[in-house]
Amino acid sequence: MTVAPRIPVVVAGGEITHRDDDVVDPVQLAAEAARRALDDAGVRIRHRVDAVATPGILLIPRDHPASRITEAVGLAPRRRISCPVGGNTPQYLVEALGNDIRRGALDVALIVGAESGNSARRVKAGRWLADPQPVGCEDESLGDPRPGLSPVELGAGLHWPHEVYPIFESAIAARSGRTLDEQRRWLGELMAPFTAEAASHPDQAWFPIQRTPEELSTVTPENRMVCEPYPKLMNSIITVDMAAAFVITAAEVAQELGIPRDRWVFPWSAASCNDVYFPAQRPDLSRSAGIRAAGRAVLDASEISVDDVKWFDLYSCFPAAVEVAIEALGLDPYDARGFSITGGLPYHGGPGNNYVSHAIVEMVRRCREEPEGIGLISGMGWYISKHSLGLWSATPPPLGWQTPAMAASQASIDATGLPVAVPAEAKGTARIDGYTVVYGRGGQPSWVPVFARMPDGRRVVARSDDHELAAAMSGGMFVGHRIDLQPGGGHARFELR
């Protein structure tokens, strides 16, 4: 098959899982992953890199990280791009930079990221890594910089993914007719295959341990409850020292550089779409309209169906992320193809915004081994908020590189957003749409945040700090129950009716 000269192609990938006891800077980890990726091309390509792009580093952050990685590797790109928060970023960069490559504005891009969360955890006060020297230029930004939560959500005490994703999970459980206890046992069945995949990658995975469904779902001192229905082993773990990188270029540049064809892997199509951005405004907490729209777009653009896909890597920071993707793509939860090629963020390890780079590196390996196979990767940012999906194969795309327009789909989704009641107006009754029971480290129910719908259609975010109420709501199912609301302390409070 003839390949268009400016079609984007990934020609190299590399990664590192750093297990030594020394404290490591994420820039140095990223630099090592970049070197491995550049070597993976099989020929010298570093002199042609004209863009370095970096997903945002969350732990031990550095200013202008793309420039710092560039200097550590000894590159001289025209563009240095550092991105805002978003687990969708690596796949989004394939889409954005792939289009720059197609139109001739870019020849070779290195996408590289890292997290040193394990090092950050082990560093004691006063022994932080030395501040780096200033860099001589300022990175450009690419991506959606909005925060993940609105002031109303933050005002109710929600600050972290492990508090918000279980709220989605309760809505999924209610739709399936399960209590939170029943949902937790079901999630053990869903996530156990992820652990088996992680165990098959002992050099890459941070937790290469195969576990049974019962091990994942049973609450023990080692698997303490965090936020119902998620015990510790169902949460993404960011305390890892990991980095990954890959190189994307134009086919004609790959040919000019002499990169062997058995190194080439093509992105076939890519699309990005958001859900209604802030969780409190979403009409359905149990589904993802953004994944549905982007998934349909990439499949239709390449004229294939989901049945033609051999490998999936669905973003998996928490089980709810996997479940909404399964539903949106029309998959069976027991699909024998599986939903991760790495083991996912809880078991492969969750290096912040850069996990999808690891998934892409692994997808490149699989496509090289089986050139006729097609893989689908999904990336997710914030709280099931930002989505970037792409198809991959070592076979050139029959219809060429496709990035379908998503503006109409995005406008349609945005139009479904609910109005949100500010705390001072949160009076009267409401019905719970989603909630979680937050546990303290001592293993006891502590407080309960809820998303609820008022009679006038507005969504309200409320909380209760009553430990007895938290204990009473533990394990059961209170989606659909009526609550009484009252304002107080900068956020709405609730009691069960």
Side-chain angles (χ1 to χ4, degrees):
M1 179 183 297
T2 302
V3 177
R6 298 302 304 184
I7 195 169
V9 57
V10 169
V11 295
E15 60 186 328
I16 178 172
T17 299
H18 179 87
R19 303 184 191 279
D20 295 343
D21 291 335
D22 57 311
V23 174
V24 61
D25 190 290
V27 169
Q28 298 307 315
L29 266 184
E32 177 57 27
R35 294 184 194 101
R36 295 184 181 193
L38 293 168
D39 289 344
D40 183 61
V43 298
R44 185 172 178 269
I45 63 172
R46 62 171 50 230
H47 63 293
R48 291 297 300 272
V49 173
D50 51 1
V52 173
T54 304
I57 298 172
L58 298 178
L59 299 181
I60 316 185
R62 298 303 191 201
D63 63 332
H64 312 301
S67 289
R68 295 190 180 281
I69 296 166
T70 292
E71 293 179 2
V73 182
L75 302 174
R78 292 184 294 105
R79 298 178 63 188
R80 305 177 184 202
I81 304 162
S82 290
C83 299
V85 171
N88 63 313
T89 300
Q91 179 62 51
Y92 165 74
L93 286 170
V94 170
E95 179 182 349
L97 300 183
N99 280 337
D100 287 346
I101 287 169
R102 175 169 55 186
R103 63 187 179 87
L106 188 66
D107 278 345
V108 181
L110 170 68
I111 299 170
V112 53
E115 283 293 340
S116 292
N118 190 50
S119 289
R121 182 173 62 88
R122 292 188 287 111
V123 170
K124 305 298 182 182
R127 295 180 54 242
W128 199 256
L129 292 169
D131 290 332
Q133 294 296 315
V135 291
C137 65
E138 188 169 313
D139 294 348
E140 66 175 279
S141 182
L142 188 61
D144 190 336
R146 286 180 289 176
L149 296 172
S150 68
V152 171
E153 291 154 328
L154 293 168
L158 295 169
H159 296 284
W160 305 108
H162 72 268
E163 299 164 340
V164 178
Y165 275 84
I167 296 175
F168 303 138
E169 192 66 58
S170 71
I172 295 169
R175 178 163 55 82
S176 302
R178 303 186 187 105
T179 67
L180 292 187
D181 279 346
E182 292 167 342
Q183 187 72 0
R184 188 180 72 253
R185 290 190 286 273
W186 146 244
L187 293 176
E189 298 283 346
L190 177 68
M191 301 307 292
F194 285 69
T195 72
E197 189 63 53
S200 72
H201 300 273
D203 294 333
Q204 286 84 39
W206 196 257
F207 302 105
I209 303 167
Q210 184 169 357
R211 298 184 185 274
T212 66
E214 292 73 25
E215 287 178 289
L216 295 179
S217 63
T218 302
V219 178
T220 67
E222 294 74 29
N223 190 30
R224 64 181 178 84
M225 181 59 70
V226 179
C227 295
E228 290 198 20
Y230 296 158
K232 183 179 179 180
L233 290 176
M234 292 181 186
N235 287 257
S236 177
I237 304 298
I238 196 174
T239 51
V240 300
D241 290 345
M242 306 177 81
F246 58 97
V247 177
I248 186 168
T249 184
E252 65 179 3
V253 176
Q255 187 169 358
E256 175 191 337
L257 290 168
I259 300 172
R261 281 295 296 266
D262 64 4
R263 315 308 289 163
W264 297 21
V265 173
F266 298 89
W268 277 24
S269 55
S272 294
C273 192
N274 296 340
D275 272 276
V276 171
Y277 195 82
F278 293 121
Q281 293 183 275
R282 289 182 202 149
D284 188 342
L285 300 175
S286 73
R287 292 181 169 92
S288 172
I291 296 176
R292 181 179 294 109
R296 183 182 300 119
V298 296
L299 292 167
D300 288 351
S302 294
E303 295 187 355
I304 68 168
S305 79
V306 74
D307 294 335
D308 297 314
V309 176
K310 183 176 181 63
W311 308 288
F312 294 93
D313 198 85
L314 305 182
Y315 202 79
S316 55
C317 51
F318 298 89
V322 179
E323 291 167 286
V324 297
I326 289 172
E327 193 275 339
L329 296 171
L331 295 168
D332 184 331
Y334 295 99
D335 195 309
R337 291 172 291 183
F339 303 118
S340 178
I341 57 174
T342 68
L345 283 87
Y347 315 115
H348 163 273
N353 299 314
N354 197 52
Y355 164 78
V356 171
S357 292
H358 291 268
I360 290 173
V361 170
E362 177 60 26
M363 188 65 78
V364 166
R365 292 191 189 104
R366 297 203 180 196
C367 290
R368 286 171 173 173
E369 291 170 359
E370 298 184 52
E372 300 301 317
I374 302 169
L376 185 150
I377 288 177
S378 72
M380 180 181 293
W382 282 123
Y383 302 95
I384 313 186
S385 308
K386 302 186 284 188
H387 308 287
S388 296
L389 280 73
L391 294 175
W392 295 82
S393 181
T395 298
L399 301 179
W401 164 239
Q402 301 290 325
T403 53
M406 299 302 297
S409 295
Q410 189 64 68
S412 178
I413 292 169
D414 291 345
T416 67
L418 299 175
V420 176
V422 299
E425 299 172 351
K427 299 177 182 178
T429 65
R431 289 190 183 274
I432 295 175
D433 289 333
Y435 72 102
T436 186
V437 179
V438 181
Y439 277 61
R441 285 197 168 267
Q444 299 300 317
S446 178
W447 62 285
V448 181
V450 302
F451 287 3
R453 196 85 62 96
M454 300 177 71
D456 62 7
R458 288 181 298 168
R459 176 70 59 61
V460 62
V461 184
R463 67 179 284 166
S464 172
D465 295 294
D466 184 332
H467 292 187
E468 292 185 2
L469 182 144
M473 294 181 72
S474 174
M477 175 45 64
F478 287 85
V479 171
H481 280 237
R482 294 178 68 187
I483 58 176
D484 290 318
L485 298 166
Q486 59 182 358
H491 60 267
R493 298 182 179 277
F494 81 92
E495 294 180 353
L496 289 176
R497 297 202 80 181

